Amino acid sequence: MTVSDRLVASPVFILSSIRSGSTLLRCMLNTHSQLHAPHELHMVDLTVGMDSRFARLAMEVAHLDKRELEHLLWDRVLHRELLRSGKPVIVDKTPTNLLRWRRVADCWPAARYIFLLRHPVHVVESAIAARPRATPTDSTELVHLFLTQLVEARQSLPGMTVRYEELTADPEAATRRTCDYLGVPWEPTMIEYGRQDHGPFLQGIGDFTDRIRAGRVLPGRPAPTQAQTPEELRSLCRALGYL
């Protein structure tokens, strides 16, 4: 399929690990009059089925396999969200898109990407705190998986990088850079995102903690020193520019 086959030709994807501040960034972008950044859509988990041999035959004649049918479904979901918003640009921040970034890139050849980074030590600490039913080891391994994919995606896809530390320290500068990349004028209302309704903050479709409910950008924690960084995280820190 080509770009012309997509209802949404050039969507924007925030590619980040879990617990990296993607809900904060999406709320700030969603405040913009031209950007629609909904809750996590989890599109890549939507699948299609062909329950009869006639359906399979019909799709074969139409040159549509299961993979492309799913792409059409994902594109339609984005298009519906965009139409409902009345805005011209859609931004999807679902973290699991990162785990299947090659498939996302295949579906939307003209997609744009924002790589959202946060210090791996803080990502792990936040993941452990947000997943009380999981063991610290399980949360750490999950973060490793996300960050490894993030390193690979940044090496393979065009896009811009935003660091959570920069976003919280100087939200105006970070959002100005992001607006420049997206080709829209910066709007000062983006900083006080709590003035607008961004939908419910529910576990499973975004951050749900008290920090995001504050409605304003709260300061981040000081970056860990190298001595405070566990050995098993140092290679990822180096690859992401933190050591």
Side-chain angles (χ1 to χ4, degrees):
M1 287 288 182
T2 64
V3 173
S4 62
D5 294 311
R6 298 291 176 243
L7 295 173
V8 184
S10 185
V12 180
F13 293 98
I14 298 173
L15 296 185
S16 71
S17 169
I18 58 171
R19 312 308 304 166
S20 292
S22 60
T23 301
L24 173 62
L25 180 56
R26 85 97 176 163
C27 287
M28 298 173 78
L29 296 180
N30 191 54
T31 303
H32 196 286
S33 62
Q34 298 184 43
L35 305 174
H36 177 50
H39 62 270
E40 296 172 10
L41 297 175
H42 292 277
M43 293 176 308
V44 296
D45 295 329
L46 301 176
T47 62
V48 301
M50 291 176 277
D51 295 336
S52 72
R53 61 186 179 91
F54 303 111
R56 291 189 291 272
L57 175 61
M59 293 302 98
E60 180 181 350
V61 172
H63 303 290
L64 290 170
D65 59 14
K66 183 177 185 294
R67 181 184 183 89
E68 182 53 32
L69 284 170
E70 289 173 349
H71 289 176
L72 293 176
L73 171 62
W74 301 350
D75 181 54
R76 181 65 181 89
V77 170
L78 277 192
H79 186 249
R80 178 178 182 271
E81 276 293 324
L82 197 55
L83 288 181
R84 291 175 66 197
S85 73
K87 297 181 179 181
V89 180
I90 190 164
V91 182
D92 184 20
K93 54 85 54 179
T94 311
T96 49
N97 288 339
L98 177 59
L99 302 182
R100 302 183 71 186
W101 63 266
R102 293 176 181 83
R103 185 77 184 271
V104 171
D106 186 35
C107 181
W108 288 280
R112 292 173 287 175
Y113 302 97
I114 299 171
F115 304 106
L116 177 61
L117 277 56
R118 188 183 185 187
H119 197 292
V121 171
H122 287 164
V123 176
V124 169
E125 291 173 350
S126 182
I128 291 173
R131 305 175 75 242
R133 296 182 181 179
T135 67
T137 298
D138 287 342
S139 293
T140 301
E141 290 178 351
L142 182 60
V143 169
H144 266 270
L145 174 62
F146 273 95
L147 293 182
T148 299
Q149 291 298 311
L150 183 56
V151 171
E152 294 181 5
R154 288 183 75 213
Q155 293 172 344
S156 303
L157 298 173
M160 71 166 294
T161 294
V162 175
R163 294 182 185 272
Y164 176 79
E165 295 80 9
E166 298 169 346
L167 184 63
T168 54
D170 193 345
E172 179 176 336
T175 51
R176 279 187 180 277
R177 285 199 307 112
T178 305
C179 287
D180 287 344
Y181 172 68
L182 298 178
V184 297
W186 183 76
E187 296 179 357
T189 54
M190 300 173 72
I191 307 302
E192 295 291 333
Y193 66 86
R195 296 178 182 272
Q196 293 192 24
D197 180 16
H198 302 287
F201 297 116
L202 300 175
Q203 186 174 10
I205 57 172
D207 191 10
F208 55 95
T209 63
D210 290 340
R211 286 183 65 87
I212 194 65
R213 296 176 191 273
R216 65 186 188 281
V217 182
L218 301 177
R221 290 176 286 168
T225 64
Q226 182 164 330
Q228 295 170 325
T229 302
E231 184 64 38
E232 62 269 19
L233 289 178
R234 291 184 183 179
S235 62
L236 284 171
C237 288
R238 291 189 187 93
L240 295 172
Y242 283 101
L243 285 181

